[in-house]
Amino acid sequence: MKFAYRFSNLLGAVYRQGNLNFSKDGNAVISPVGNRVAVFDLKNNTSETLPFSTTKNITCVGLSPDGNLAIVVDEDGAALLISVITRAVLHHFHFQKPVSSIRFSPDGRKFVVTKENVALMYHAPGRQREFNAFVLDKSYYGPYDETTCIDWTDDSKCFAVGSKDMSTWVFGAERWTNLIYYSLGGHKDVIVGCFFEKDSLDLYTVSQDGTLCVWQSDTELDGLVLKSLAKPKIPNQEEEEEERDEDRVEGEEGEVIRGKAETLKEREKTKNVRYKQISKHFFNKEGDFNNLTAAAYHKPTHILVTGFASGIFHLHELPEFNLIHSLSITDQRIASVAINSSGDWIGFGCSRMGQLLVWEWQSESYVFKQQGHFNNMSSLAYSPDGQYIVTGGDDGKVKVWNTNSGLCFVTFTEHTSSVTDVSFTSSGFVIVSASLDGTVRAFDLHRYRNFRTFTSPRPAQFSSIAVDMSGELVSAGAQDSFEIFLWSIQTGRLLEVLGGHEGPVSGLCFSPVQSILASASWDRTIRLWDMLDSWQVKETLPLTSDALAVTYRLDGQELAVATLNGEISFWNPATATQTGSVAGRHDLEIGRKETDKVTAKQTAKGKSFTSLCYSADGESVLAGGQSKFVCIYSVKEQMLVKKFEISCNLSFDAMEEFLDRRKMTEFGSLALVDEGAGDGDGVNISLPGVRRGDMSSRHFKPEIRVSSLRFSPTGRSWAATTTEGLLVYSLDGSMVFDPYDLDLDVTPASIRKQLRLKEWASAIVLAFRLNENAFKQEVLETVPHDQIAVVCGSLPDIYVEKLLGFVAACLEKSGHLQFYMTWAQSLLMLYGQKLKNRSGALQPTLQALQKSIRCHFDSLSKLCDFNMYNIRYAVALSKQRGMKRHPEEEEDENEEEEDDEEQSEEMSEVSVEEAEMIL
């Protein structure tokens, strides 16, 4: 079993906070999700999470004009310079204070960062390698309060900065004689956006109270005069430069330019740039009051997009302020707006609901519409082929995600309370979910509907669920009545109520090979119920502590149980004997919350694993609980094999074992000192068991925890639902050199020599002994198509399984569909019986093969259907062009169409039969 799992994707969350960006071509959205950055490809409908993370939540992302570099800044002001092409971190930098916005100049040579009331202009990192990638050029002071937004002129000569003090400042990026700084007023609220007109110094400013001011400059961009350094100094200028030298901040490089509210004195022969307000427009009608929260302007098309706190957005054409259209897309505040380069697509981010929308305003339709779970995710389950993941959340929603694209394609909202557990049936087309609203619901993935609702005679809160291997029986455990309920999926009837537990039922699991149900309870027992023998208790397994989770191994020969004392015990269900146990409490490494009065070491004594699952080969167990770690234990050795840290985001609570000494005062921790109204009561300590924090307080930090874990049936990945979202970890075999049977004669040269001699079988064996993916692929694709069956027949048995696994992996990504299908078919036909005898060990490989074939079958069948309809349409058009037909001809044509339909139906039936045979 390999453990080289790496973080591969973040599902279940699409946007948290910060600003959205479109890629240079306008086909992808770059969205900050917590302390990571996700890229959503709108053309190919896929998502990708970049392989880096910051120490706190990201607040702003700046993208260079060529789309190659990005600067990512978190809540504390720590910045990462990222290469968007290679996905690598190039440089670390700290701005020391929180940064409100960041913007590259259109020529890509400079970028401006605003923090507090200062605008800092840096030289943009070049293509050559530098010791310090961030070199400060100038510091601009002017606003009295925090700065909020930046915009550059098209030729990078000037930039404007908006502030919370209701003023907008225009600064020169170079030493212009007639424009050093200029201050604009006219607003009665915080500036949300300032935008230059295309190739002009004319300016639009938008404030939070829904006011737009249009400013006209008396100078064109060409009229800016560069200050000559060789000129003799004018007395006024000398004084000003002396003043600037005094104002230079110690330790910072570059000039410091301090703006003042009064107008600058004019120099000889040059007239200073002046602005005048030519019009003022209001977004809110009389009597309405709706805060404007985000704005974006597309210069080539003169379109202004504004988002409001009520979830409405407006499109206006400037400078006339003509309303194009307005629409309500959500009932929450729109936090960020972005427009792509062509101006067709508008991206909206809603932080409170975790929504990300891309709207095409000309056709008035959604290009992209995704939303994560509003509250924490509580559970997940993989489909039998590993292609889909279903998640249930505290918001009562059940969402289904595609593991290949990373996007949610259906959401079921029938539950009215938290979803506690979800499961797929063995067919893979039915999802069953349990909820605290007292219902268990079955959803159909063919028609996307809730086709069964199961309820108990008395209302009960269901905490766990299990579906048997046949897909006929559904069982759910109740928290309050200590009973287990059994229903039939076919009829929807309640078959039996299983009583006997003396505490809440915490976990249920059906045996994969027998009709036996294992139930875990807080009464310190595991009960095994026989479904065939009148639902009687077959065995009762006594435990030393309350049971929290139970799971069967894939062959049904072993049972793993997580208990409240932090142990994982292993049982043989046939003999009802314990075969081993692992003490895992110290491996959890619980963190200390900010408001905890006791240390993490003392808190850890009451913590334990809450989620368990076996790996695909059954040799190890994956365990997670109320900490940031996921542990993999070897069942045979009963020891810790590997530990994964699922997050390094310090914006979550309970991340560190010790409290930060800088937050400790003589009165205790700063987190326990209330910054509020000063009523003398101090901070309210949150109630026991509250995981999300007090929603009514001004600031709260969600606690890091792992609520559910599942291994993919293909064995290539595993997923965990955490506070951060749904994290998927996959095997990364690209960097690992792992030869199988290395010898002196196993070299790339000897492999290629065998290929030249056309010794295909020995070349394959050598390639698999070297175990380099590139060589294996090269050897396989060199074998002639008509020789595949012969080569398969002459392979040693030990390499058949390895070859089948490699074919399954290649089939998923390769375009040589028929070629690899021929390999798979030849191997299965020749070695079918031998493989069947070892089906338990080979199950992950076969599941991966089935997943690849199913994926190709779905995409190809859609394409073929589409082509068939197009051909029919073209034929119908060619027959009726420019001719007036008689009724008899129409009848003949109808008969021909019926024949065509019958033929196409026969063709589709044949293709389905072929696909089934291959599967």
Side-chain angles (χ1 to χ4, degrees):
M1 179 74 195
K2 303 287 189 300
F3 295 104
Y5 291 96
R6 274 184 157 188
F7 172 77
S8 66
N9 209 351
L10 171 65
L11 283 66
V14 288
Y15 174 76
R16 287 273 164 78
Q17 64 178 42
N19 61 314
L20 297 172
N21 285 279
F22 275 95
S23 60
K24 188 189 176 189
D25 59 2
N27 293 336
V29 182
I30 297 166
S31 167
V33 186
N35 68 333
R36 299 183 185 273
V37 175
V39 180
F40 298 97
D41 189 336
L42 306 176
K43 281 284 172 76
N44 301 318
N45 204 37
T46 57
S47 77
E48 180 191 5
T49 308
L50 303 186
F52 63 83
S53 57
T54 56
T55 51
K56 287 210 170 173
N57 285 338
I58 293 167
T59 52
C60 50
V61 179
L63 195 66
S64 64
D66 58 4
N68 295 341
L69 293 176
I71 298 172
V72 176
V73 190
D74 70 10
E75 288 170 346
D76 283 348
L80 298 177
L81 176 66
I82 308 297
S83 166
V84 181
I85 298 167
T86 61
R87 313 301 204 220
V89 178
L90 305 178
H91 188 67
H92 290 261
F93 190 78
H94 209 298
F95 289 110
Q96 307 302 334
K97 296 280 174 62
V99 171
S100 57
S101 54
I102 185 165
R103 195 76 178 268
F104 275 88
S105 63
D107 61 6
R109 292 182 178 180
K110 304 276 176 72
F111 68 88
V112 170
V113 171
T114 59
K115 63 175 189 183
E116 293 183 330
N117 63 336
V118 194
L120 304 171
M121 187 164 71
Y122 286 84
H123 291 286
R127 289 176 185 267
Q128 68 276 14
R129 296 183 69 176
E130 299 156 314
F131 176 69
N132 182 12
F134 288 31
V135 179
L136 183 64
D137 184 23
K138 295 182 179 71
S139 303
Y140 297 88
Y141 292 84
Y144 293 99
D145 205 342
E146 283 181 36
T147 46
T148 55
C149 54
I150 312 165
D151 192 50
W152 284 85
T153 54
D154 280 348
D155 57 1
S156 308
K157 287 183 176 179
C158 303
F159 65 91
V161 174
S163 167
K164 285 186 178 177
D165 67 359
M166 303 173 281
S167 65
T168 308
W169 292 74
V170 182
F171 292 110
E174 301 293 335
R175 293 176 65 89
W176 308 118
T177 309
N178 50 348
L179 178 59
I180 299 172
Y181 58 83
Y182 198 97
S183 174
L184 302 167
H187 285 284
K188 296 178 182 175
D189 209 338
V190 175
I191 306 294
V192 175
C194 51
F195 310 104
F196 280 106
E197 187 53 272
K198 186 173 165 56
D199 298 324
S200 169
L201 276 171
D202 295 351
L203 194 65
Y204 303 109
T205 54
V206 182
S207 65
Q208 192 174 291
D209 59 356
T211 309
L212 168 76
C213 289
V214 183
W215 304 90
Q216 190 178 40
S217 165
D218 63 352
T219 313
E220 291 299 315
L221 281 171
D222 300 339
L224 293 174
V225 181
L226 194 63
K227 188 179 283 188
S228 173
L229 299 175
K231 274 187 182 179
K233 286 185 178 178
I234 304 163
N236 288 350
Q237 199 172 329
E238 277 178 17
E239 285 168 24
E240 197 175 298
E241 293 202 352
E242 278 168 22
E243 191 181 289
R244 279 190 202 151
D245 288 340
E246 285 169 22
D247 290 340
R248 180 170 292 185
V249 180
E250 210 172 299
E252 283 188 21
E253 296 174 11
E255 300 174 50
V256 176
I257 295 166
R258 293 188 181 276
K260 297 179 178 63
E262 66 267 13
T263 53
L264 276 168
K265 294 170 187 174
E266 293 191 1
R267 308 271 180 263
E268 291 176 11
K269 299 179 186 175
T270 53
K271 188 183 174 200
N272 281 352
V273 173
R274 293 195 179 276
Y275 279 92
K276 69 172 181 180
Q277 185 179 312
I278 55 170
S279 61
K280 195 170 187 177
H281 305 283
F282 300 95
F283 290 94
N284 292 327
K285 293 174 186 168
E286 207 170 325
D288 280 357
F289 187 76
N290 194 358
N291 269 356
L292 191 148
T293 54
Y297 180 61
H298 190 246
K299 294 179 184 179
T301 54
H302 306 286
I303 284 174
L304 175 73
V305 185
T306 47
F308 291 84
S310 62
I312 295 170
F313 76 91
H314 294 319
L315 254 76
H316 284 88
E317 190 178 13
L318 298 183
E320 290 82 19
F321 200 66
N322 299 329
L323 180 67
I324 298 171
H325 77 227
S326 67
L327 187 76
S328 174
I329 52 171
T330 178
D331 56 354
Q332 299 289 339
R333 174 177 173 272
I334 295 173
S336 178
V337 176
I339 309 177
N340 76 341
S341 51
S342 63
D344 297 330
W345 293 347
I346 305 165
F348 298 98
C350 176
S351 58
R352 196 170 294 174
M353 296 292 285
Q355 282 178 313
L356 179 61
L357 311 166
V358 178
W359 173 261
E360 188 171 46
W361 64 273
Q362 286 167 325
S363 64
E364 298 192 18
S365 61
Y366 286 111
V367 176
F368 184 84
K369 189 178 184 183
Q370 289 282 305
Q371 180 182 350
H373 284 281
F374 171 54
N375 276 346
N376 291 342
M377 286 186 198
S378 57
S379 56
L380 86 144
Y382 267 99
S383 64
D385 61 356
Q387 198 170 346
Y388 305 124
I389 296 177
V390 59
T391 57
D394 288 350
D395 55 359
K397 290 179 180 173
V398 175
K399 288 178 171 283
V400 190
W401 307 83
N402 188 320
T403 54
N404 294 326
S405 68
L407 300 177
C408 171
F409 62 92
V410 62
T411 303
F412 300 108
T413 56
E414 279 78 6
H415 284 296
T416 55
S417 186
S418 298
V419 176
T420 52
D421 205 357
V422 288
S423 180
F424 268 97
T425 60
S426 54
S427 67
F429 295 112
V430 174
I431 293 165
V432 186
S433 62
S435 170
L436 295 180
D437 64 4
T439 63
V440 172
R441 295 177 185 268
F443 302 99
D444 179 9
L445 279 187
H446 283 305
R447 296 183 183 83
Y448 300 143
R449 65 195 177 101
N450 172 209
F451 70 94
R452 285 274 184 276
T453 303
F454 310 105
T455 54
S456 54
R458 291 186 304 279
Q461 291 191 319
F462 297 118
S463 59
S464 53
I465 199 170
V467 183
D468 78 330
M469 280 305 290
S470 64
E472 292 291 322
L473 293 175
V474 175
S475 66
Q479 275 185 347
D480 41 9
S481 65
F482 313 160
E483 292 170 330
I484 300 164
F485 298 88
L486 272 171
W487 295 275
S488 162
I489 287 189
Q490 292 290 337
T491 61
R493 287 177 56 201
L494 178 67
L495 300 175
E496 189 66 34
V497 179
L498 308 178
H501 278 299
E502 296 166 9
V505 179
S506 55
L508 293 173
C509 187
F510 270 102
S511 166
V513 291
Q514 294 171 290
S515 287
I516 292 176
L517 174 68
S519 62
S521 171
W522 292 8
D523 63 4
R524 302 189 175 194
T525 60
I526 299 288
R527 290 176 185 253
L528 304 180
W529 311 80
D530 196 338
M531 297 292 106
L532 300 177
D533 187 13
S534 309
W535 300 297
Q536 291 180 356
V537 178
K538 189 183 171 193
E539 292 288 353
T540 302
L541 312 179
L543 302 169
T544 55
S545 185
D546 300 10
L548 300 177
V550 62
T551 181
Y552 264 102
R553 202 165 69 185
L554 284 176
D555 60 0
Q557 301 300 310
E558 194 173 69
L559 202 63
V561 184
T563 49
L564 193 60
N565 58 2
E567 282 190 4
I568 301 169
S569 53
F570 304 102
W571 297 76
N572 184 338
T575 59
T577 54
Q578 185 171 345
T579 56
S581 69
V582 173
R585 175 166 287 164
H586 297 297
D587 301 325
L588 266 172
E589 287 188 37
I590 307 292
R592 183 175 175 180
K593 289 199 284 186
E594 283 189 347
T595 52
D596 277 354
K597 295 288 184 73
V598 291
T599 61
K601 196 174 181 181
Q602 292 296 322
T603 315
K605 291 179 180 175
K607 301 293 183 182
S608 53
F609 292 113
T610 55
S611 183
L612 271 184
C613 76
Y614 273 96
S615 62
D617 59 0
E619 289 179 9
S620 48
V621 164
L622 210 58
Q626 294 170 5
S627 83
K628 60 178 177 177
F629 290 105
V630 170
C631 305
I632 291 188
Y633 292 97
S634 167
V635 177
K636 192 178 175 184
E637 308 289 339
Q638 293 179 16
M639 59 182 281
L640 181 71
V641 178
K642 190 154 185 185
K643 208 168 174 181
F644 296 94
E645 187 178 7
I646 54 165
S647 178
C648 59
N649 188 357
L650 297 179
S651 297
F652 292 130
D653 213 350
M655 282 295 292
E656 293 180 298
E657 191 178 349
F658 302 103
L659 290 180
D660 191 347
R661 290 284 169 214
R662 288 171 294 184
K663 291 183 180 176
M664 298 299 285
T665 63
E666 57 185 314
F667 306 108
S669 172
L670 275 177
L672 291 167
V673 180
D674 192 10
E675 299 171 1
D679 50 5
D681 290 337
V683 159
N684 293 324
I685 307 299
S686 63
L687 294 171
V690 174
R691 295 277 164 252
R692 191 160 172 79
D694 182 11
M695 297 290 284
S696 62
S697 68
R698 289 183 187 84
H699 307 286
F700 68 90
K701 292 173 81 171
E703 186 183 341
I704 187 75
R705 65 200 298 256
V706 178
S707 54
S708 183
L709 285 166
R710 287 293 179 272
F711 229 98
S712 168
T714 61
R716 302 283 305 168
S717 60
W718 56 268
T721 52
T722 67
T723 316
E724 207 168 18
L726 175 60
L727 303 173
V728 180
Y729 283 75
S730 301
L731 270 181
D732 179 37
S734 56
M735 300 298 288
V736 183
F737 176 61
D738 183 22
Y740 169 63
D741 184 14
L742 200 59
D743 206 346
L744 286 173
D745 59 340
V746 181
T747 60
S750 62
I751 294 170
R752 293 203 168 101
K753 184 183 176 184
Q754 293 294 330
L755 286 178
R756 284 197 297 275
L757 295 171
K758 297 188 179 180
E759 295 287 341
W760 313 120
S762 60
I764 288 173
V765 170
L766 286 173
F768 274 86
R769 283 174 68 184
L770 190 64
N771 210 8
E772 282 279 332
N773 282 343
F775 278 112
K776 289 192 279 188
Q777 191 168 349
E778 183 186 333
V779 169
L780 279 193
E781 292 181 2
T782 312
V783 177
H785 183 260
D786 54 353
Q787 294 285 313
I788 290 175
V790 181
V791 173
C792 287
S794 58
L795 276 177
D797 289 355
I798 195 165
Y799 292 101
V800 171
E801 294 173 21
K802 294 179 181 298
L803 180 56
L804 193 63
F806 184 70
V807 166
C810 285
L811 191 59
E812 192 172 0
K813 296 172 184 172
S814 175
H816 306 299
L817 190 55
Q818 189 187 354
F819 182 74
Y820 281 109
M821 288 286 277
T822 311
W823 274 106
Q825 193 174 9
S826 301
L827 288 169
L828 292 173
M829 293 290 278
L830 286 166
Y831 299 96
Q833 193 57 46
K834 289 178 184 174
L835 295 173
K836 193 174 181 181
N837 296 337
R838 299 197 66 247
S839 58
L842 270 176
Q843 196 171 358
T845 305
L846 297 172
Q847 296 273 24
L849 187 63
Q850 186 183 0
K851 177 188 172 185
S852 305
I853 294 171
R854 166 63 60 188
C855 195
H856 283 300
F857 176 74
D858 289 347
S859 56
L860 275 176
S861 59
K862 283 177 190 169
L863 185 66
C864 294
D865 287 347
F866 181 71
N867 289 345
M868 211 156 61
Y869 299 142
N870 276 349
I871 290 165
R872 273 197 216 158
Y873 179 67
V875 169
L877 272 183
S878 65
K879 284 181 181 174
Q880 64 180 13
R881 183 172 292 163
M883 52 189 283
K884 202 171 183 181
R885 293 173 298 172
H886 297 291
E888 294 169 8
E889 286 178 10
E890 285 181 7
E891 282 173 19
D892 293 341
E893 198 172 288
N894 288 340
E895 285 171 14
E896 281 175 17
E897 280 180 13
E898 281 171 14
D899 292 342
D900 285 350
E901 280 176 15
E902 283 171 12
Q903 282 176 0
S904 66
E905 280 171 13
E906 283 169 15
M907 281 161 61
S908 62
E909 279 171 17
V910 168
S911 64
V912 168
E913 281 171 13
E914 282 177 4
E916 282 175 356
M917 194 175 79
I918 290 166
L919 285 171

